[in-house]
Amino acid sequence: MSRVRSAALSGVLSFSMLGLAACGSGSSDPQEGGESLSSVTIEGDQGSEPKVTFDGRLDGSKDETEVLVEGDGEEVAEGDTVKANWWIGNGFTEKEAQSTWTKDGAPQSVEMSEDILPFLRETVIGNQVGDRVVLLTSAEEAFGEGGRPDIGIGNKDAVLAVVDILGRSETVPPLDGPQGEDKKPAGWAPELVEKDGVITGLDFSTAHKPTGKLIATTLVKGDGAKVKAGQTLTVNYLGQVYDADKPFDESYSGEPAEFPIGVGQVIPGWDERLVGRTVGSRVILEIPPADGYGEQGNEQAGIKGTDTLFFVVDILGAS
């Protein structure tokens, strides 16, 4: 008999300034009056992409979780790094929204930290390696207040998630700083301002004016592994609006930041330009509004919808 339990999702993520770039029109009640989890047919072996058949739109107002395939591996705990694949469906439109099997089916490596998306915490933590877990919930509970409009899930939609827990990974300690081959940065890049060896800002006096394009230049080419979508990055970073006198956010004066990359949890420019880099790299990014916070900007950080953002990022680890 499958292990079945009602979902008790943790609260939605507390997104930092680097949080979700795409937001819906605000929180609202999930769609009610649809079908339950038992109306859905999910076929296929654990480890292969599931075939999902809907029998009417789903009701995401009552969370349901079920272990469809029981594994015999170790139980996953908070802080573990796991390899997993997942399939996400919109329970209102009855269409696939996202599948990590779409490209090459390679497992995603994700650390079970407080910063990961709630649907992953609910389907992975407390379950076992080898499990296939299905979750029916609301968009707000699965992804946060705005849902995921970038993959076709509005903040009122029901969400169906099928997650295969494929293994656990050993965690490699993050680096203390950039490590690799020094490179000459592009001429358009601002210069780093440092105090006692710590980056404190960017100097735009010799930098070009923003081009409206998403571009990057390498200061150190790391000698570590390539960053893959779905991994959790450990980075130090500093962000500054073009021609501003001081940064709007930075981590160099405190602790490095951690967040999943390539899955829509950070601004698009980060997802686009950090995936494929190597651990140990230091890069400078020029990010136009469309790849940053969009026309709405980020009022809390003092960023307008027309501002171009520059970041220096040290990639210290990927797990």
Side-chain angles (χ1 to χ4, degrees):
M1 180 179 295
S2 297
R3 301 191 301 276
V4 182
R5 56 189 169 89
S6 62
L9 285 171
S10 59
V12 298
L13 293 177
S14 299
F15 293 109
S16 68
M17 194 282 302
L18 286 172
L20 274 177
C23 293
S25 57
S27 61
S28 57
D29 293 333
Q31 295 284 358
E32 299 181 9
E35 300 292 335
S36 67
L37 182 57
S38 61
S39 69
V40 180
T41 301
I42 301 172
E43 301 174 281
D45 296 329
Q46 202 268 9
S48 62
E49 186 168 21
K51 178 182 178 182
V52 180
T53 305
F54 293 90
D55 187 18
R57 68 180 180 87
L58 299 176
D59 181 357
S61 64
K62 297 179 180 179
D63 301 330
E64 297 181 69
T65 305
E66 182 176 351
V67 178
L68 298 181
V69 178
E70 292 189 7
D72 56 6
E74 295 178 294
E75 182 175 308
V76 179
E78 181 90 30
D80 286 347
T81 297
V82 302
K83 293 183 179 180
N85 272 326
W86 58 84
W87 183 98
I88 304 295
N90 185 318
F92 183 74
T93 64
E94 304 175 45
K95 294 181 179 180
E96 176 185 309
Q98 184 184 65
S99 174
T100 60
W101 280 277
T102 300
K103 292 184 179 180
D104 57 9
Q108 309 298 301
S109 182
V110 185
E111 182 182 355
M112 294 294 108
S113 68
E114 293 182 357
D115 296 327
I116 65 168
L117 290 168
F119 86 86
L120 282 172
R121 290 183 60 85
E122 178 58 22
T123 54
V124 175
I125 295 176
N127 286 313
Q128 297 174 194
V129 173
D131 281 355
R132 166 166 283 184
V133 188
V134 60
L135 168 68
L136 171 60
T137 188
S138 66
E140 181 174 352
E141 291 287 353
F143 293 109
E145 183 178 351
R148 280 293 301 274
D150 58 311
I151 62 172
I153 294 180
N155 61 349
K156 293 184 179 181
D157 293 333
V159 172
L160 181 72
V162 182
V163 180
D164 285 356
I165 308 172
L166 302 172
R168 292 173 62 185
S169 304
E170 295 294 329
T171 301
V172 178
L175 302 172
D176 293 330
Q179 178 178 295
E181 181 184 358
D182 291 340
K183 295 287 186 179
K184 183 179 180 180
W188 56 261
E191 295 183 3
L192 303 182
V193 179
E194 299 184 52
K195 182 177 181 180
D196 298 327
V198 178
I199 297 174
T200 60
L202 298 173
D203 179 359
F204 294 98
S205 59
T206 60
H208 73 178
K209 293 183 178 180
T211 63
K213 297 180 180 180
L214 174 63
I215 53 178
T217 186
T218 301
L219 283 71
V220 177
K221 183 178 180 180
D223 54 16
K226 280 190 176 182
V227 173
K228 298 178 181 179
Q231 288 187 307
T232 296
L233 288 193
T234 301
V235 304
N236 267 326
Y237 69 91
L238 178 144
Q240 195 164 328
V241 172
Y242 173 71
D243 230 9
D245 294 329
K246 59 182 179 179
F248 54 79
D249 193 27
E250 58 86 24
S251 67
Y252 288 99
S253 63
E255 295 296 323
E258 294 185 349
F259 51 84
I261 193 69
V263 293
Q265 281 207 41
V266 292
I267 55 176
W270 277 53
D271 276 344
E272 178 70 22
R273 290 297 181 174
L274 295 185
V275 171
R277 303 275 174 184
T278 51
V279 173
S281 293
R282 168 174 285 177
V283 297
I284 291 179
L285 310 177
E286 178 180 327
I287 302 180
D291 296 300
Y293 294 96
E295 295 180 355
Q296 74 275 12
N298 187 312
E299 184 177 357
Q300 181 180 358
I303 298 171
K304 301 188 294 294
T306 55
D307 285 338
T308 295
L309 312 179
F310 284 77
F311 286 93
V312 55
V313 183
D314 293 345
I315 305 175
L316 306 177
S319 60

